[in-house]
Amino acid sequence: MSEEQPIPTRGVVFEGPGRRPAIEELVLDPPRRGEVLVRMAAAGVCHSDLHVVDGEWERPAGVVMGHEGAAWVEELGEGVEGLQRGDLVVLAWTAPCRRCEACARHEPWLCSQPDGSGHRLSPKDARLRRAGSGEPIGAYSGIGTFGERQVVAASAAIRVDPRTPPEMAALIGCAVTTGIGAVRNTAKVQTGESVTVIGLGGVGLSAVMGAVEASAHPVTAIDTSPAKLELAVRAGAHRTLLAEEAAQSQGADHVLECIGLPSTVELAIDLARPGGTTTLVGMTPQGQRASFDVYRLVEDGKVIRGSNYGSADPAIDFPRIATEYLEGKLPLDLLITERIGLEQLDSAFEAMRRGDGARRVIVY
């Protein structure tokens, strides 16, 4: 492909809070050095997308939404190694540069200048344009998984076992890695330690699976939805509690908050045992604050930790999780509530606002 032959595609473009994201006809430039052209296979609908659409997170307008997805490699830009056409890849919404201070500290999830960053909005970085006007369009988190095709940084395309169902691979790109990584990498849960998970969406259920796979005991799951508690049991939880029963769970070695509400953040701190750790995984709307009894926290020697992207290195964690799924160690199929088309994205957002189900996945 040459620069004179733009690639036709479609994508859901976010134009600002309060405006319904709409599917638009777009054109895509061919991949440049260090980039790959991918054809999307599946994309998960994540609460982080809804935070943007509802104006709870400030993000630029004029971008193709979506940050959780899997795709097939179609074309390689100059200098790309380790990938080939036809590879199934999981797309990482932060692709560590391997050069900054955070990467040098072996904390790639905190990379300050990830490849393909800035939502590809600058004239230099933009690869998408509106089909009619030629106006540049960005890609959310550099990958824009609600588009049928994308050009992404090669380091954001992580090859996984081709036997992995694309829907499962898509969820590994965010929810699964965030939840399992919070258990393994951030909290570092050990065999026999007790774990309580608050909130059983895609991330929380993944955290339950990660705790069970780590041989934690007991694993307690808390939610307002009986249906989600049933999913937690199928994921291996030893005990489930409705939210109003949460006080019965006091004394866990590890408590993971996987919703992102100030009230559940405060609850998670309370439910940790003296000397225990609360790991905050869920993302609140920007600017929200939670409070806690400082005297009690210090007296009890508790620890509060934040977990960004499950403290994961996508190049290592994505293939590992895919393999564990194929080996039957992680029942990730439980996470998919419904498979939908791109045209059903609005209804998926409405279901998420109601707290209905775990994950809806767009299958291309």
Side-chain angles (χ1 to χ4, degrees):
M1 293 182 181
S2 71
E3 299 239 357
E4 288 70 42
Q5 296 175 314
I7 304 147
T9 186
R10 298 191 310 156
V12 175
V13 179
F14 169 71
E15 294 289 11
R19 300 179 62 180
R20 177 180 171 272
I23 299 173
E24 295 193 28
E25 299 294 326
L26 306 168
V27 291
L28 186 63
D29 292 337
R32 303 176 191 174
R33 183 175 185 83
E35 298 177 337
V36 294
L37 168 67
V38 298
R39 176 168 56 89
M40 217 61 66
V45 183
C46 178
H47 211 108
S48 296
D49 301 308
L50 187 60
H51 280 309
V52 174
V53 170
D54 287 350
E56 295 175 340
W57 291 1
E58 292 183 11
R59 295 293 187 271
V63 297
V64 170
M65 290 296 299
H67 65 280
E68 180 179 79
W72 290 286
V73 174
E74 287 199 327
E75 295 288 341
L76 304 176
E78 184 182 352
V80 174
E81 299 179 351
L83 292 172
Q84 57 186 356
R85 294 177 185 175
D87 280 345
L88 175 66
V89 293
V90 178
L91 300 179
W93 53 257
T94 184
C97 69
R98 310 293 178 185
R99 300 179 301 274
C100 69
E101 290 185 7
C103 288
R105 294 194 305 266
H106 306 290
E107 296 176 338
W109 57 92
L110 297 176
C111 178
S112 62
Q113 44 190 343
D115 296 339
S117 62
H119 308 293
R120 289 190 175 273
L121 275 169
S122 73
K124 177 177 72 72
D125 292 331
R127 300 292 184 268
L128 283 164
R129 288 170 281 120
R130 284 196 165 95
S133 66
E135 177 189 353
I137 294 292
Y140 188 54
S141 295
I143 56 176
T145 59
F146 295 166
E148 293 175 343
R149 282 181 168 83
Q150 284 290 1
V151 167
V152 303
S155 55
I158 310 301
R159 183 171 56 186
V160 296
D161 191 312
R163 296 174 298 164
T164 310
E167 301 97 308
M168 297 299 109
L171 298 188
I172 290 170
C174 185
V176 172
T177 296
T178 297
I180 291 176
V183 172
R184 290 178 176 171
N185 305 325
T186 313
K188 294 182 169 59
V189 172
Q190 301 298 306
T191 299
E193 291 186 317
S194 55
V195 172
T196 295
V197 177
I198 302 173
L200 301 174
V203 173
L205 287 169
S206 297
V208 169
M209 294 179 199
V212 171
E213 201 276 333
S215 299
H217 193 277
V219 176
T220 301
I222 299 174
D223 201 279
T224 59
S225 165
K228 290 183 179 179
L229 294 180
E230 290 178 15
L231 286 176
V233 171
R234 293 170 61 191
H238 305 112
R239 183 170 68 152
T240 61
L241 296 170
L242 288 167
E244 57 265 31
E245 305 168 324
Q248 299 176 29
S249 182
Q250 286 187 1
D253 296 312
H254 296 276
V255 181
L256 289 90
E257 197 280 348
C258 298
I259 302 175
L261 296 172
S263 60
T264 48
V265 167
E266 293 166 1
L267 174 65
I269 296 169
D270 288 342
L271 295 187
R273 65 162 175 81
T277 298
T278 295
T279 301
L280 305 181
V281 188
M283 298 290 283
T284 69
Q286 287 177 313
Q288 292 197 350
R289 294 178 176 271
S291 62
F292 56 88
D293 185 331
V294 178
Y295 173 85
R296 190 75 267 159
L297 183 86
V298 176
E299 177 75 7
D300 287 348
K302 295 183 181 183
V303 176
I304 304 172
R305 298 199 63 178
S307 181
N308 178 24
Y309 214 171
S311 303
D313 186 335
I316 296 172
D317 289 88
F318 288 3
R320 175 187 175 184
I321 291 171
T323 298
E324 289 172 333
Y325 165 77
L326 292 170
E327 292 173 348
K329 296 177 180 177
L330 297 169
L332 301 182
D333 300 271
L334 297 176
L335 300 178
I336 298 182
T337 300
E338 186 180 9
R339 292 166 173 81
I340 64 174
L342 197 60
E343 292 77 9
Q344 295 169 278
L345 181 60
D346 276 350
S347 62
F349 282 148
E350 284 302 322
M352 190 175 291
R353 291 184 182 102
R354 297 192 303 269
D356 176 14
R359 258 308 192 265
R360 283 166 174 82
V361 180
I362 298 165
V363 179
Y364 289 93

